[in-house]
Amino acid sequence: MGRSSLRVWLLVVSVLFAMAVVGGIAITTFIIVANGMQSVAADATARIASSASTLLRDAIADADEGAASQGLVGQSRASAALETVRAEIPALLNRPGVGEAAYALYSANGALLWSSSSKAVWPDQKPDRALASLDTRTTSTAVHSGGFMSGLLDSARLPVRVSHVPIELPDGTTGVLDITYQSTTEERVIDAVRAPMAGLAISAMIIMVLLMQTSMAWVLSLVDTLRRAADSIDAGQLDARLPDSGSNEISALAKSINRLIERLQRRSEAQARFVADASHELATPVAGIRGYTSILRAWGAEDPIVRDEAVDAIDRESRRMARLSGDLLNLLQADQGLVLKTERFDVNALVRDRIAATASRWIEKGIDYIGPEDEDPLVMVGDPDRLEDVISILLDNASKYTPAGGKVVVNTKRKREMVVIEFADTGQGIPADDLPRIFDRFFRSEASRAAGEGGFGLGLSIAKSIVDSMGGQIEVESEERKGTTFIVRVPRGRV
Ligand code: ADP
């Protein structure tokens, strides 16, 4: 996905998210308001029906009394009372508290006696009215209903209910008063809420989208800066670093990438140094061989002594070259990640075997070698050949750097899940300044160079690479003129 399409995608997601959240809240609030207004209207209908019917009943009783006081009886008293009521009813029901409704008064046989307006007359309500007059119980029926989202997109239209209240008429029959409540006030409230709600919802959506877009633009700009910085780092030019100030996740990513570049840089510098050192080391024997070849050409035929010396020197130098190329090959293999065997073997036997193999050297030099004290086998699972390489390098060094009369003690032990092998000698020791560098490739201390000990400074780096790939550690402790101890720790494996 390209960068611009990522922006478009994020824009679409933020708009949809804002619509879902803000729109959802706005619609829910609107539904709550609309439903609240519906129940307010229902309550108002019940209240008005009760007040209006009481008023009408009182008015009928008063009118009946008035007709009686005029000395009227029977049908004429009833007609006079009804006439009085009909005359008074408009003023009676057009006062605060009951004036919001429309009224229609029907006789027992369903004839319309009076109505406040055409809105009060519902011809289809006949059966309900008849039921109310027979039952003399108040009933109510819906003449139209509004949906629960009424007023969301157009003018609000709340449900209208007609209450049928039985009323005893002056002639003793039961008529019915129809009360139709017009919920215009509640509808006006809903209509008034709609526009500000919509305005508020749209503004909230716009603000939300803008906020999301601004923060995303900020994040994308950080990513863009990283990308540009990363582009500027050429494969060979590993000096550049990504901007990593700040404490956000992008800075953390930049810091990780910078650490990676640093490792790559160190590796590439080490490789360059390695190639330079290797060619320098190879140049010395090659120069020697060429020099002795010239001598051989010039005087070899006439002078047998010169010839023999030159042949010996060429032989020595070519052996040195062979040793060096062998060491370089070992180092390369260890660097590329060794494929390690998983064999069960006895470390003590391996150490004793190696000490015996180098015996000629240390006996010749007059050094004492003391093998592992522990007679019991120390079994581990790993690669015996590689561990043998490490042991050989450390025994070889101990004999190289320990003068005649010295002592080399090798001890083995098991510490938790690790096998520990210690090589302690009473040799020249390593100067404190050199200690941090002795595992570096081609590093040799001044003392060993001066003493002309024949190594290339690769033994310890080979040993360290092998131990590292086994998942172990190699450490050194040394004191000048007293001696040196190398400690190798390797995992014991599942024995
Ligand atoms: P080299 O082939 O020179 O022995 P190594 O990598 O094995 O190379 O050792 C690096 C340097 O560490 C040596 O040149 C020497 O100065 C020092 N060194 C290693 N082992 C010992 C030791 N047992 N006693 C004193 N110095 C040592």
Side-chain angles (χ1 to χ4, degrees), residues 397 400-401 425 429-430 438 443-445 448 455-460 484 486:
N397 275 357
K400 268 197 292 191
Y401 302 112
D425 66 46
I430 305 166
I438 56 159
F443 176 80
R444 302 180 65 205
S445 72
S448 17
F456 300 105
L458 287 176
L460 286 181
T484 306
F486 281 94

Side-chain angles (χ1 to χ4, degrees), residues 327 393-394 396-402 423 425 427-431 434 437-449 453-462 476 478 483-486:
D327 276 1
I393 290 168
L394 295 174
D396 195 40
N397 275 357
S399 80
K400 268 197 292 191
Y401 302 112
T402 304
F423 303 80
D425 66 46
Q428 65 189 45
I430 305 166
D434 290 348
R437 300 170 57 202
I438 56 159
F439 293 104
D440 289 355
R441 284 154 196 206
F442 295 105
F443 176 80
R444 302 180 65 205
S445 72
E446 275 314 313
S448 17
R449 278 180 203 275
E453 292 293 350
F456 300 105
L458 287 176
L460 286 181
S461 20
I462 295 171
V476 61
S478 184
T484 306
T485 305
F486 281 94

Side-chain angles (χ1 to χ4, degrees), residues 13 25 39 56 121-122 132-133 149 163 180 194 216 251 278 299 308 327 346 350 370 381 391 400 410-411 420 433 460:
V13 168
I25 293 173
S39 29
L56 189 60
V121 182
W122 300 96
S133 70
M149 294 247 253
S163 291
T180 310
R194 190 175 43 241
M216 277 166 200
S251 312
W299 299 290
D308 289 347
D327 276 1
D346 175 10
L350 190 68
I370 302 166
V381 170
I391 296 169
K400 268 197 292 191
V410 186
N411 255 320
V420 184
D433 287 350
L460 286 181

